[in-house]
Amino acid sequence: MFFQSQERLCLFIDGTSLYSASRNLGFEVDYRKLLQFFRSKSNVLRAYYYSAVLDTEEYSPLKPLTDWLVYNGYSLVTKNAREFIDHNGRRRVRGNMDVELAVDMMEMAPHIDHAVLFSGDSDFRRLLESMQRQGVRTTVVGSIKTSPPLIGDELRRQADQFIELADIATHFMRRHIENRPPRSAAPPVRHPADQMSEHDED
């Protein structure tokens, strides 16, 4: 990994993407240690975390995490998710945060030297290209060790640096978890890292 101790760095974490990749790799993320890890490498100016949340429930399983992030060094960006029933009769939640993440990264470009993106969505390739034209180095954190790989080839090739999530997981792993067997689903129409998150009714 190539980081400079004095460079101004900003983290952009697609919450759904990081959750999917870490779960697939069999661990839960300790967000305090994650922030400490990158602060030990560079001068972290901001750490953005993006998540769509349901506002139709009195209690959301995401609320403890989002509340904790707000008070522990993260800039939380949320919007209301849309709930619907898929063709198999299962409850689903759609909440894409791509636009919010792209706007924040472009706004931060004049103020940072290095942007670290936690996502595997190839739609962000042009965003990284724009950041690079503005003189900002780009790193993408994702995984090619999951099945299927949770990062698009175009995004990985565009970044100045690709970091395999499994290779740095020990620095901010909260605990190991057992991988659940994959649920049957219709073939994805987009890259797996950008698929709809599923509301867990358990």
Side-chain angles (χ1 to χ4, degrees):
M1 291 182 296
F2 179 64
F3 292 94
Q4 298 174 357
S5 60
Q6 297 304 314
E7 68 180 353
R8 300 167 300 171
L9 181 144
C10 190
L11 303 176
F12 300 88
I13 302 172
D14 179 339
T16 299
S17 180
L18 178 55
Y19 173 81
S20 297
S22 61
R23 185 180 180 86
N24 195 297
L25 292 169
F27 75 95
E28 290 185 356
V29 175
D30 184 323
Y31 286 93
R32 178 182 285 110
K33 290 182 179 179
L34 186 150
L35 193 52
Q36 290 173 346
F37 173 73
F38 282 95
R39 282 176 171 168
S40 72
K41 303 290 183 184
S42 296
N43 177 22
V44 178
L45 298 186
R46 292 282 189 278
Y48 290 98
Y49 183 94
Y50 299 86
S51 179
V53 295
L54 279 173
D55 64 350
T56 58
E57 300 178 340
E58 293 183 4
Y59 176 80
S60 166
L62 273 177
K63 186 167 177 54
L65 172 61
T66 55
D67 286 349
W68 185 92
L69 291 170
V70 168
Y71 291 103
N72 287 274
Y74 287 84
S75 297
L76 180 66
V77 183
T78 65
K79 71 177 180 183
N80 291 338
R82 182 173 64 86
E83 186 177 19
F84 65 100
I85 306 299
D86 70 9
H87 64 278
N88 291 321
R90 291 181 299 188
R91 296 174 64 200
R92 297 275 187 169
V93 175
R94 183 189 294 276
N96 191 301
M97 300 292 293
D98 289 6
V99 172
E100 289 80 2
L101 191 155
V103 168
D104 288 341
M105 188 179 289
M106 292 294 289
E107 288 184 345
M108 288 298 294
H111 311 291
I112 61 176
D113 305 305
H114 194 164
V116 178
L117 172 65
F118 283 75
S119 181
D121 187 354
S122 287
D123 286 349
F124 288 128
R125 187 198 69 79
R126 285 282 290 161
L127 174 61
L128 295 194
E129 185 180 31
S130 175
M131 296 293 286
Q132 291 164 339
R133 287 198 301 266
Q134 297 177 70
V136 177
R137 290 200 309 114
T138 60
T139 292
V140 170
V141 181
S143 183
I144 60 175
K145 295 184 178 180
T146 56
S147 180
L150 290 176
I151 184 164
D153 288 339
E154 291 183 359
L155 181 67
R156 184 160 55 93
R157 289 195 297 266
Q158 184 65 51
D160 295 306
Q161 176 177 231
F162 166 68
I163 297 177
E164 167 59 51
L165 179 61
D167 292 343
I168 59 174
T170 55
H171 296 284
F172 46 81
M173 182 184 298
R174 185 157 68 92
R175 68 184 178 96
H176 286 280
I177 59 174
E178 293 183 7
N179 289 328
R180 293 183 179 179
R183 300 178 180 179
S184 58
V189 294
R190 299 188 66 193
H191 189 275
D194 192 41
Q195 293 302 298
M196 298 173 293
S197 59
E198 182 172 349
H199 179 63
D200 193 347
E201 298 180 273
D202 297 340

